[in-house]
Amino acid sequence: MRNFLFSLFFSISFFATATNTDIKETDSIGYSIASDDAVLSMIDSLMSNRMYNCFKYCTTTGDSIFNDNPQVLIDSILDTRLEFLDNETPFELIYNQYTKAFINLYVNKRRKLSRSVLGLATLYFPMIEEVLDRYNMPLELKYLAVVESALSPSARSRVGAQGLWQFMYRTGKIYDLNSTSYVDDRCDPYKSTVAACEYFRFLYDMFGDWQLVLAAYNGGPGNLLKAIRRAGGKRDYWEVRPYLRRETQGYVPAFFAVNYIMQHAAENNIYPTQPKFFNYELDTVIIHKYTDLNTLATVLEIPISEVRFLNPTFKKSIIPNSKNGYAL
């Protein structure tokens, strides 16, 4: 099975939200992310995602939530904060020009999305952390779902990757994420998180380094092994990075930046745009028989938009007959 997995991953790119790090000296921080950067493109496409139509604004912070004045990024402060975060994680959180460019992206250029992600974190992080803990994975891996999908289970990339963790169709099949005309398990937050943890474990067993796991998660382990050979066998991420595919090189700095912004949002005057539901308000029931979510919403007097928001797994708002049942 392991040989099969390796062969498959060697030949196809695993995820679609890879990054391009042509950083140019064009803006006030000294560097900027290229306009065709894949992470930037993903973020822009998610701004119109229907997931973000199900928010209400948090008013506890007053007018400050709408204060979008540019934040000044001071190198010494950012470096100190990342160094402190680095002491609490197995990831080597490095502050450099690439990390700063992505911090600037989330702090200044895409503040609205950062507020939305902070809100969605209250809905999805408790579940993600529980699964990561069960698999003995670093809890900071939850931030990878922000890089991948901005915490939108309904996110779909231009090449067909789906869900919080952006699984491609064939890769999802390997980890028991089935897709039919009515149901797509890749969009199930819980099932896809379990699959992601299994894949993290597979990659860590192969590379033994969390920075390399991130790079392999994005570009595929086959491409990473090629880059390691081109780097003369070196296995330090920053030494291998120049040999990675162009669109993969910014992925790890983007992950570092998300670690920063999710833990230092308030210091940058960014406050959550809260979803209509919190994790503790939700529960599930198992449905075995054919159910139309539109009819269910009418009977329960719940807006269909909210039912769909909470159940992105069902493509056509239909739960098909199932012996094992589906979680609603």
Side-chain angles (χ1 to χ4, degrees):
M1 180 62 176
R2 179 176 293 271
N3 290 336
F4 167 72
L5 287 171
F6 175 78
S7 177
L8 178 60
F9 286 132
F10 193 93
S11 61
I12 64 174
S13 175
F14 181 69
F15 284 96
T17 53
T19 59
N20 155 15
T21 55
D22 275 354
I23 297 183
K24 304 175 181 179
E25 300 184 18
T26 56
D27 66 7
S28 59
I29 69 166
Y31 299 89
S32 68
I33 301 170
S35 60
D36 63 345
D37 181 86
V39 167
L40 182 61
S41 299
M42 178 272 293
I43 289 174
D44 287 339
S45 67
L46 285 169
M47 293 303 294
S48 60
N49 191 294
R50 63 184 175 87
M51 172 68 68
Y52 298 106
N53 295 326
C54 291
F55 284 96
K56 58 184 178 182
Y57 279 97
C58 170
T59 58
T60 56
T61 54
D63 293 336
S64 62
I65 191 171
F66 301 105
N67 181 355
D68 284 335
N69 295 330
Q71 301 293 299
V72 178
L73 302 180
I74 300 174
D75 289 328
S76 59
I77 294 177
L78 296 177
D79 191 14
T80 300
R81 288 174 177 172
L82 274 173
E83 183 179 359
F84 180 82
L85 295 177
D86 178 58
N87 292 329
E88 299 183 336
T89 176
F91 294 94
E92 297 177 8
L93 302 183
I94 301 296
Y95 179 68
N96 54 29
Q97 61 191 26
Y98 306 107
T99 305
K100 184 176 183 179
F102 279 103
I103 289 176
N104 187 54
L105 175 69
Y106 287 105
V107 168
N108 287 316
K109 297 181 178 180
R110 297 297 183 273
R111 292 173 65 82
K112 181 180 178 182
L113 185 78
S114 294
R115 292 198 296 261
S116 298
V117 167
L118 286 168
L120 282 171
T122 64
L123 181 60
Y124 294 115
F125 275 5
M127 177 275 296
I128 294 174
E129 290 172 348
E130 183 179 352
V131 178
L132 288 169
D133 179 69
R134 187 193 315 155
Y135 278 83
N136 197 28
M137 295 284 112
L139 295 183
E140 290 79 16
L141 281 169
K142 63 189 177 187
Y143 299 130
L144 196 62
V146 176
V147 180
E148 286 290 343
S149 66
L151 292 182
S152 173
S154 61
R156 180 181 177 87
S157 78
R158 61 181 177 271
V159 296
Q162 288 273 134
L164 283 178
W165 302 97
Q166 291 291 278
F167 277 96
M168 296 294 288
Y169 178 85
R170 287 183 290 178
T171 313
K173 285 285 189 180
I174 293 172
Y175 289 101
D176 297 323
L177 297 178
N178 297 311
S179 181
T180 69
S181 296
Y182 289 125
V183 178
D184 193 335
D185 287 339
R186 294 175 296 169
C187 296
D188 184 303
Y190 177 78
K191 289 182 179 180
S192 64
T193 300
V194 170
C197 285
E198 292 178 354
Y199 188 56
F200 293 146
R201 185 165 58 187
F202 169 76
L203 291 176
Y204 190 77
D205 287 344
M206 180 180 293
F207 295 106
D209 178 273
W210 285 111
Q211 271 68 254
L212 296 182
V213 167
L214 296 176
Y217 186 91
N218 176 255
N223 288 319
L224 178 56
L225 288 172
K226 291 178 183 178
I228 290 173
R229 288 198 298 271
R230 291 169 183 164
K234 297 176 181 177
R235 299 179 74 88
D236 175 82
Y237 168 75
W238 295 103
E239 293 184 298
V240 174
R241 182 180 177 276
Y243 301 94
L244 293 170
R245 295 189 307 172
R246 182 169 175 257
E247 62 269 21
T248 305
Q249 293 181 5
Y251 195 73
V252 172
F255 174 78
F256 292 171
V258 171
N259 274 261
Y260 171 82
I261 192 59
M262 295 300 288
Q263 300 193 60
H264 289 284
E267 290 89 337
N268 290 279
N269 201 35
I270 299 176
Y271 299 92
T273 304
Q274 296 178 353
K276 292 182 179 180
F277 308 98
F278 294 92
N279 183 271
Y280 64 84
E281 296 178 297
L282 303 178
D283 205 343
T284 58
V285 293
I286 302 301
I287 305 296
H288 293 273
K289 296 184 178 180
Y290 176 95
T291 303
D292 188 321
L293 296 186
N294 291 282
T295 302
L296 184 67
T298 300
V299 172
L300 297 178
E301 298 182 347
I302 299 174
I304 184 59
S305 61
E306 295 182 4
V307 178
R308 289 172 178 162
F309 171 82
L310 294 171
N311 296 277
T313 308
F314 306 113
K315 295 180 178 180
K316 302 181 183 301
S317 298
I318 290 174
I319 304 177
N321 288 312
S322 171
K323 180 180 180 180
N324 296 324
Y326 291 101
L328 173 68

